[in-house]
């Protein structure tokens, strides 16, 4: 069974043409993988479709801009996958 | 199609919020200075204008979906294919279909047909943001009225 991380890593590899072996749970999407906000729209689309959720990108961006959250909380892949799992669980509840 | 002011959609033929689908019409100008360069003796509507016409079509759909509360700015064009020449005088049918509404962005699938024949297609992604100013929004709503945006979906511009 494919894990959330495997699915997300495959999406990033395909969308951004990043070697799959370079994408690790501890990778920061922006700082380590060089993904910019425009690329992240494509990634968010693919994640939304793959998991049947809607990543709250606007809310996350606002929280980061207001200093209420760090980019690490949402864009380190292990944390991103945890958020995705929460959204999946909330959807199924 | 008013190329000189970059208004590339003449009229909204139909718009369904429920189905996430809009159809628009546009007439390719018979005369335009663009043809002097593109191309001498062989006038063709440039592909970039076809992409923009698809984006403007999708824009009307997104404005309907957001109830004119936010404005769509074109951000990504994927899978653009120019399948056939579009020449002066052609009547274009422009279609945009909602593929996905994300958080702060919309993705649509678009195509252009002439007499039922597919001329070009593309997928487009838009960031949606608050209108830059109330005047901007009023102008967009006024233009919506001019292109036949369904009246029941138009907000009160005031």
């Amino acid at each position: 069974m494919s894990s959330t991380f495997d699915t997300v890593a495959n999406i990033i590899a395909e969308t951004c043409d990043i070697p799959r072996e370079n994408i690790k749970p501890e990778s920061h999407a922006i700082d380590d993988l060089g993904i910019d906000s425009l690329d992240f729209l494509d990634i968010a689309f693919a994640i939304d479709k793959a998991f049947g959720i809607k990543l709250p990108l606007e809310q996350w961006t606002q929280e980061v801009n207001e200093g209420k959250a760090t980019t690490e909380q949402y864009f380190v892949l292990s944390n991103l996958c945890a958020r995705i799992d929460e959204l999946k669980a909330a959807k199924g509840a | 199609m008013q190329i000189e002011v970059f208004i590339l959609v003449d009229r909204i033929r139909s718009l369904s919020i429920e189905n996430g689908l809009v159809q628009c019409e546009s007439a390719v100008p018979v005369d335009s200075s663009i043809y002097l360069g593109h191309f001498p003796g062989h006038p063709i509507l440039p592909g970039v204008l076809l992409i923009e016409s698809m984006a403007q079509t999708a824009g009307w759909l997104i404005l309907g979906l957001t109830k004119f509360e936010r404005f769509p700015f074109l951000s990504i064009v994927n899978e653009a294919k120019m399948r056939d020449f579009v020449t002066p005088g052609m009547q274009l049918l422009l279609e945009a279909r909602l593929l996905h509404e994300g958080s702060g962005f919309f993705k649509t699938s678009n195509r252009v047909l002439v007499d039922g024949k597919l001329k070009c297609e593309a997928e487009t992604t838009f960031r949606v943001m608050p209108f830059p100013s109330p005047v901007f929004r009023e102008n967009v709503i006024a233009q919506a009225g001019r292109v036949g945006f369904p009246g029941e979906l138009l907000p009160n511009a005031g």
Side-chain angles (χ1 to χ4, degrees):
Chain A
M1 189 177 75
S2 177
S3 71
T4 299
F5 173 74
D6 286 332
T7 302
V8 170
N10 289 338
I11 286 171
I12 291 173
E14 185 172 337
T15 304
C16 299
D17 200 20
I18 295 171
R20 173 64 179 82
E21 61 270 21
N22 292 357
I23 304 170
K24 304 181 187 315
E26 62 271 23
S27 300
H28 190 302
I30 302 165
D31 298 342
D32 297 329
L33 301 179
I35 298 169
D36 65 19
S37 62
L38 203 55
D39 289 333
F40 209 83
L41 288 187
D42 276 335
I43 293 168
F45 168 70
I47 287 174
D48 285 0
K49 284 291 190 189
F51 296 105
I53 59 172
K54 185 169 168 176
L55 285 183
L57 287 181
E58 288 188 299
Q59 178 193 329
W60 292 356
T61 303
Q62 186 176 350
E63 288 176 12
V64 169
N65 289 342
E66 292 176 354
K68 295 176 180 171
T70 63
T71 59
E72 286 77 10
Q73 286 176 252
Y74 298 127
F75 296 107
V76 168
L77 296 191
S78 58
N79 296 336
L80 174 65
C81 291
R83 301 288 90 75
I84 291 170
D85 287 337
E86 289 169 5
L87 289 164
K88 282 163 56 184
K91 182 188 166 207
Chain B
M1 184 177 288
Q2 303 172 63
I3 293 177
E4 67 281 5
V5 289
F6 228 53
I7 294 174
L8 303 184
V9 169
D10 291 341
R11 193 177 79 85
I12 296 172
R13 179 189 285 189
S14 65
L15 193 160
S16 170
I17 298 298
E18 298 74 24
N19 297 324
L21 179 66
V22 66
Q23 289 189 322
C24 296
E25 298 170 350
S26 194
V28 180
V30 173
D31 296 309
S32 171
S33 58
I34 280 181
Y35 304 138
L36 296 176
H38 197 280
F39 296 98
H42 189 58
I44 301 169
L45 192 70
V48 290
L49 292 180
L50 287 165
I51 290 172
E52 176 63 21
S53 69
M54 290 189 277
Q56 291 187 12
T57 300
W60 289 123
L61 173 63
I62 296 167
L63 284 163
L65 291 165
T66 59
K67 299 181 172 58
F68 288 81
E69 291 301 322
R70 309 178 88 189
F71 188 80
F73 291 96
L74 180 63
S75 298
I76 302 172
V77 179
N78 292 120
E79 305 292 334
K81 294 184 175 74
M82 309 300 140
R83 296 186 177 278
D84 196 6
F85 294 144
V86 172
T87 55
M90 282 186 168
Q91 301 290 324
L92 306 184
L93 173 62
L94 304 137
E95 285 186 354
R97 183 181 298 276
L98 179 66
L99 287 180
H100 184 63
E101 178 180 350
S103 173
F105 72 97
F106 286 74
K107 191 175 176 85
T108 63
S109 170
N110 323 286
R111 57 184 193 156
V112 178
L113 300 102
V114 174
D115 294 332
K117 185 180 178 190
L118 182 63
K119 292 290 187 180
C120 63
E121 60 197 314
E123 290 183 357
T124 43
T125 303
F126 299 80
R127 288 184 199 272
V128 288
M129 299 178 175
F131 277 84
S133 70
V135 171
F136 185 123
R137 182 171 181 266
E138 287 167 19
N139 287 336
V140 170
I141 292 170
Q143 180 61 16
R146 286 192 286 271
V147 297
F149 199 93
E152 66 274 16
L153 299 176
L154 272 176
N156 183 338

